[in-house]
């Protein structure tokens, strides 16, 4: 895919990894819509700010109506409530699913027809190594990312005959505000953005961007005992 002739919508592009993705795409000559709940927070030169709350169907519909030329969609917007599945308020658990699963689906449903009408293109869903392995301390996030992974697999098959390649990006911790309190090795978001955009350009279906995600992917073949060796 020639990204220099592509028009890309990046959700959650006002900060963190979304901003890094938008910057990388701009550096390759793409036209970039930077989606954010508050577009005034978009400070990236060259990007086109657009109001977009992926959990609000009216906002999603308005964004689709305001564009028309999108050929690549990057579903990046996310949440991280730190919700425990057994003890957290169910509203926090629902927020994770409303954002990562229903939000991603809502935006895809709104923009896939636009991408197809423009001759096809690509969709990248920003997933996680936690799509494949879960931790109790933030079980709601893991469950939502796992659901988004399944959604990605289904949409990949469903949209292929419309000329839309659907990719999933799996990555562990990145040095962003979302995981500021986590004491663990973290990737530079600009490095992961470059890997992700390389994957889009190459037409990859799955982009596994770091060692933590590669280890989680490999453990899947070993079953529960490989994924969770701490179990008795």
């Amino acid at each position: 895919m020639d990204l220099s002739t592509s028009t890309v919508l990046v959700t959650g592009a006002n900060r963190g990894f979304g901003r890094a993705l938008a910057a990388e795409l701009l550096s390759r000559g793409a036209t970039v819509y930077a989606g954010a709940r508050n577009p005034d927070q978009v400070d990236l030169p060259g990007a086109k700010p657009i109001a977009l709350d992926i959990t609000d169907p009216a906002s999603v519909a308005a964004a689709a109506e305001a564009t028309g030329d999108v050929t690549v969609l990057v579903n990046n917007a996310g949440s991280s409530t730190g919700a425990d599945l057994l003890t957290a308020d169910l509203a926090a658990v629902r927020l994770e699913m409303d954002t990562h699963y229903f939000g991603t689906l809502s935006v895809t449903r709104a923009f896939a027809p636009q991408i197809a009408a423009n001759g096809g293109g690509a969709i990248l869903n920003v997933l996680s190594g936690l799509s494949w392995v879960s931790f109790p301390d933030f079980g709601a996030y893991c469950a939502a990312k796992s659901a988004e992974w399944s959604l990605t697999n289904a949409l990949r098959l469903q949209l292929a005959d419309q000329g839309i390649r659907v990719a999933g990006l799996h990555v562990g911790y990145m040095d962003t505000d979302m995981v500021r309190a986590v004491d663990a090795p973290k990737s530079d978001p600009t490095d992961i953005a470059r890997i992700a955009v390389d994957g889009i350009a190459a037409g990859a279906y799955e982009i596994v961007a770091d060692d933590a995600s590669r280890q989680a992917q490999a453990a899947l073949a070993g079953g529960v005992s490989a994924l969770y060796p701490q179990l008795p």
Side-chain angles (χ1 to χ4, degrees):
M1 175 176 290
D2 182 2
L3 290 170
S4 68
T5 62
S6 299
T7 298
V8 187
L9 169 65
V10 180
T11 69
N14 56 303
R15 63 192 178 100
F17 185 52
R19 190 182 188 280
L21 281 167
E24 180 66 26
L25 287 158
L26 285 166
S27 76
R28 302 195 191 199
T31 299
V32 177
Y33 289 108
R37 283 177 292 184
N38 182 357
D40 291 338
Q41 293 179 348
V42 175
D43 63 354
L44 190 61
K48 298 181 177 182
I50 187 167
L52 179 56
D53 179 349
I54 70 168
T55 65
D56 179 355
S59 176
V60 173
E65 182 68 23
T67 54
D69 53 346
V70 171
T71 55
V72 177
L73 167 63
V74 180
N75 285 308
N76 163 77
S79 61
S80 182
T81 64
D84 180 301
L85 288 170
L86 294 179
T87 61
D89 191 309
L90 276 177
V93 177
R94 289 193 180 98
L95 175 61
E96 298 284 21
M97 198 64 72
D98 284 344
T99 303
H100 298 287
Y101 181 80
F102 289 108
T104 296
L105 178 58
S106 178
V107 176
T108 301
R109 286 165 63 115
F111 281 90
Q114 186 175 141
I115 296 171
N118 289 323
I123 296 172
L124 175 68
N125 291 339
V126 177
L127 304 174
S128 171
L130 299 178
S131 307
W132 292 326
V133 61
S134 296
F135 295 103
D137 289 346
F138 32 94
Y141 177 89
C142 297
K145 280 299 184 185
S146 185
E148 189 182 3
W149 175 45
S150 181
L151 174 153
T152 301
N153 290 332
L155 293 176
R156 180 180 296 127
L157 295 171
Q158 194 167 359
L159 292 173
D161 63 359
Q162 297 182 39
I164 301 174
R165 296 179 74 89
V166 179
L169 171 68
H170 294 269
V171 60
Y173 295 127
M174 289 184 285
D175 192 10
T176 65
D177 289 344
M178 184 177 285
V179 294
R180 181 184 298 169
V182 175
D183 183 16
K186 300 171 187 176
S187 300
D188 186 330
T190 59
D191 292 337
I192 304 302
R194 184 175 61 254
I195 292 169
V197 175
D198 282 345
I200 296 172
Y205 286 122
E206 189 169 66
I207 305 163
V208 184
D210 63 358
D211 288 341
S213 296
R214 282 186 282 272
Q215 291 166 7
Q217 184 187 48
L220 288 172
V224 171
S225 60
L227 287 167
Y228 307 105
Q230 68 271 35
L231 286 173

